[in-house]
Amino acid sequence: MATKSPKSYARKPRADAERNRDRVLEAAKEAFTRSGADASLDDIAKQAGVGPGTLYRHFPSREALIEAVYRTEVEKLAAAQRNFTETMAPIEALRAWMLLFVDYIAAKKIIAPALNTLIGDPKKVFEASYTQVWEAIRALVKRAVKSGDIRKDLDPIDLLRALIGVANVSSSPDWQQSARRLVDILITGARPVK
């Protein structure tokens, strides 16, 4: 008679461990934005209100932390799309998400070079994020087109390209304000011609 081995269940992390992880990620994002990829991990732990051991338990290396910060930003964009779709009118949801996308670009401008340097070839990380971003903007534009708020011929990728273009062309520190203004210009230009 064969004996059954007990099923192994992945334990859900404790709530306090999840909070610690989230605080570390937020502190790391701020530190990497302020100081670049070489920001002190001890300072990040201190800012998050945890010990270095807690930081390393969640993120065993600088590379793991940088990648987690990047993935978290992408996940926030995807979650925001779902939340905005449920709680806002189509055109308002699209505008709010595009404003969040500007913040994502800012984080990516800091984190992407670090990922390239530390991880070597982060293609899989970027490809996964591209898919999530593309699906989010496509769903928002489709909903806005269906409601009549946006022209039917609008290609969602054009909105992303415009915002990314402002970030890449502008070398001034206030590019984010320019990109935020551009969101309203893009929304106005995307409305149906009457």
Side-chain angles (χ1 to χ4, degrees):
M1 180 171 168
T3 59
K4 290 185 181 179
S5 61
K7 290 183 182 178
S8 63
Y9 294 98
R11 248 177 69 185
K12 186 177 176 184
R14 292 184 345 223
D16 62 330
E18 278 297 310
R19 283 191 300 274
N20 286 343
R21 183 181 190 283
D22 292 344
R23 286 199 316 263
V24 168
L25 287 170
E26 192 55 40
K29 178 185 166 192
E30 290 173 18
F32 294 145
T33 300
R34 189 176 52 251
S35 305
D38 295 328
S40 163
L41 297 184
D42 287 340
D43 288 348
I44 290 170
K46 194 178 296 181
Q47 181 67 34
V50 301
T54 299
L55 184 145
Y56 286 106
R57 191 170 21 260
H58 291 288
F59 310 102
S61 66
R62 178 178 300 277
E63 294 86 357
L65 180 57
I66 290 171
E67 184 176 342
V69 168
Y70 180 74
R71 286 184 190 271
T72 299
E73 291 305 300
V74 173
E75 289 164 7
K76 285 180 186 176
L77 271 176
Q81 178 266 316
R82 292 186 297 272
N83 180 46
F84 294 164
T85 296
E86 293 171 4
T87 61
M88 296 178 174
I91 195 74
E92 292 168 8
L94 178 60
R95 181 183 181 279
W97 189 88
M98 289 173 63
L99 290 170
L100 270 182
F101 184 73
V102 171
D103 295 338
Y104 161 77
I105 295 169
K108 185 176 179 183
K109 282 181 78 156
I110 302 295
I111 293 169
L115 280 173
N116 287 331
T117 302
L118 296 172
I119 295 175
D121 186 14
K123 280 183 190 165
K124 288 187 180 189
V125 175
F126 292 140
E127 286 171 4
S129 68
Y130 175 81
T131 299
Q132 289 182 0
V133 169
W134 167 245
E135 287 173 2
I137 189 75
R138 189 178 54 79
L140 289 163
V141 167
K142 183 178 179 180
R143 184 171 172 249
V145 166
K146 188 175 180 180
S147 73
D149 291 331
I150 296 291
R151 296 187 334 224
K152 292 178 182 176
D153 65 340
L154 179 71
D155 186 347
I157 201 73
D158 290 340
L159 298 174
L160 298 182
R161 285 182 182 139
L163 294 174
I164 292 168
V166 169
N168 289 331
V169 170
S170 178
S171 59
S172 67
D174 67 341
W175 73 265
Q176 281 181 273
Q177 288 78 20
S178 179
R180 288 179 187 288
R181 287 189 302 274
L182 182 59
V183 166
D184 289 325
I185 293 168
L186 290 169
I187 293 290
T188 300
R191 290 196 180 271
V193 179
K194 296 187 182 197

